[in-house]
Amino acid sequence: MLRKLLIGLLVFNLTACAELQQVIDQLPENTPGLSNTDIAAGLRQALDMGIDKQVTKLTQKDGFYRNELVKILLPEELKKVDKGLRDIGLGNLADEGLKVLNRAAEDAVSQATPIFVDAVKGITFADAKNILLGTDDAATQYLSTRTKTALYDKFHPVINNSFAKVGADQIWSNLINKYNAIPFTSDVNPDLTDYVTSEALNGVYKMIAVEEKEIRNKVGSRTTDLLRRVFALQD
């Protein structure tokens, strides 16, 4: 109990990374009732739950489009296209343009799980100590650091292909051509693949962070004995 109180006081009063590292280093290599392996396994389990529960939702139809936390909107330079079309009564076309961007992201996210699984397997006890005493999204940040490049490389061609599969290329060509035909507008011709790839990645990490925060802050969300014992250390 004394150890938990000390950790709590120190964590809430940290003002610098050096101080955080000092607290982390003071954690014993083995905690009563919990081995180093248990603590690392608990963090892996929390991330696995986030991936299974939240990322899977994003792969479903409307997983992005109907989720206001991650819905992909138009980039700044295309907002005028959306407004211009709606101003002349083509709101349905503008809506369809948004929908196909999100459909492409939903298609790409299905490729993420194997990359996440490999990253989660690599969590060590040293990683776990930092994550456990970190911010509400420390585990998600860890995952982002180790997967973002690989996921971008995986998502980009899938989204490019998805644009063709879901008709985004034709819809946006039609949409932009109609916009460019509006008098007194400046023509636009953006490449959306990079933008949607980045937005899809942001959405994936955001949803994993949602689940991590739940587990950290709500005891009832710790649905296994291991999660309850490990995250009790950071309470």
Side-chain angles (χ1 to χ4, degrees):
M1 179 62 73
L2 177 61
R3 176 178 167 278
K4 288 172 65 178
L5 289 173
L6 287 172
I7 290 174
L9 288 171
L10 285 167
V11 169
F12 283 110
N13 288 281
L14 290 175
T15 57
C17 291
E19 291 173 345
L20 174 59
Q21 191 60 53
Q22 184 178 11
V23 173
I24 290 167
D25 290 342
Q26 288 173 357
L27 270 175
E29 287 300 304
N30 284 288
T31 304
L34 283 172
S35 68
N36 299 352
T37 301
D38 288 335
I39 293 173
L43 269 297
R44 293 189 198 104
Q45 193 172 98
L47 280 172
D48 282 339
M49 285 180 62
I51 293 164
D52 183 60
K53 184 176 177 180
Q54 300 294 346
V55 177
T56 301
K57 291 179 183 178
L58 297 178
T59 67
Q60 299 169 1
K61 184 178 180 180
D62 289 331
F64 274 86
Y65 189 66
R66 298 292 183 189
N67 184 338
E68 293 302 320
L69 283 177
V70 297
K71 181 179 180 179
I72 298 175
L73 303 176
L74 292 178
E76 194 63 39
E77 65 270 21
L78 279 182
K79 287 181 180 177
K80 60 182 180 181
V81 178
D82 185 89
K83 183 178 185 303
L85 291 171
R86 295 182 192 280
D87 285 348
I88 62 171
L90 293 176
N92 287 341
L93 181 61
D95 288 339
E96 190 62 23
L98 277 178
K99 188 177 292 184
V100 293
L101 299 186
N102 286 272
R103 288 284 181 270
E106 291 156 12
D107 198 40
V109 171
S110 64
Q111 308 291 314
T113 300
I115 294 172
F116 282 142
V117 168
D118 286 343
V120 170
K121 285 179 181 177
I123 293 178
T124 65
F125 176 64
D127 296 325
K129 287 197 298 183
N130 286 277
I131 293 169
L132 194 61
L133 297 182
T135 59
D136 279 350
D137 65 345
T140 305
Q141 290 182 34
Y142 168 89
L143 200 61
S144 173
T145 299
R146 283 155 179 77
T147 62
K148 200 160 194 175
T149 299
L151 284 182
Y152 183 94
D153 292 343
K154 179 69 73 172
F155 280 16
H156 193 275
V158 173
I159 286 174
N160 197 44
N161 291 335
S162 292
F163 279 164
K165 186 174 75 175
V166 303
D169 49 355
Q170 294 179 352
I171 289 170
W172 273 97
S173 176
N174 183 33
L175 188 153
I176 291 171
N177 286 337
K178 285 185 179 295
Y179 173 80
N180 287 342
I182 299 173
F184 311 114
T185 60
S186 301
D187 289 357
V188 294
N189 186 28
D191 175 6
L192 291 174
T193 304
D194 177 72
Y195 172 76
V196 174
T197 300
S198 296
E199 290 297 294
L201 285 171
N202 290 340
V204 166
Y205 295 122
K206 185 174 289 186
M207 294 311 298
I208 294 174
V210 165
E211 189 66 18
E212 179 184 356
K213 186 174 181 179
E214 283 280 311
I215 293 171
R216 284 183 180 274
N217 296 301
K218 295 183 180 179
V219 174
S221 295
R222 301 168 191 171
T223 55
T224 70
D225 179 64
L226 182 60
L227 286 177
R228 286 188 287 271
R229 290 190 295 136
V230 169
F231 280 93
L233 296 176
Q234 55 108 69
D235 289 340

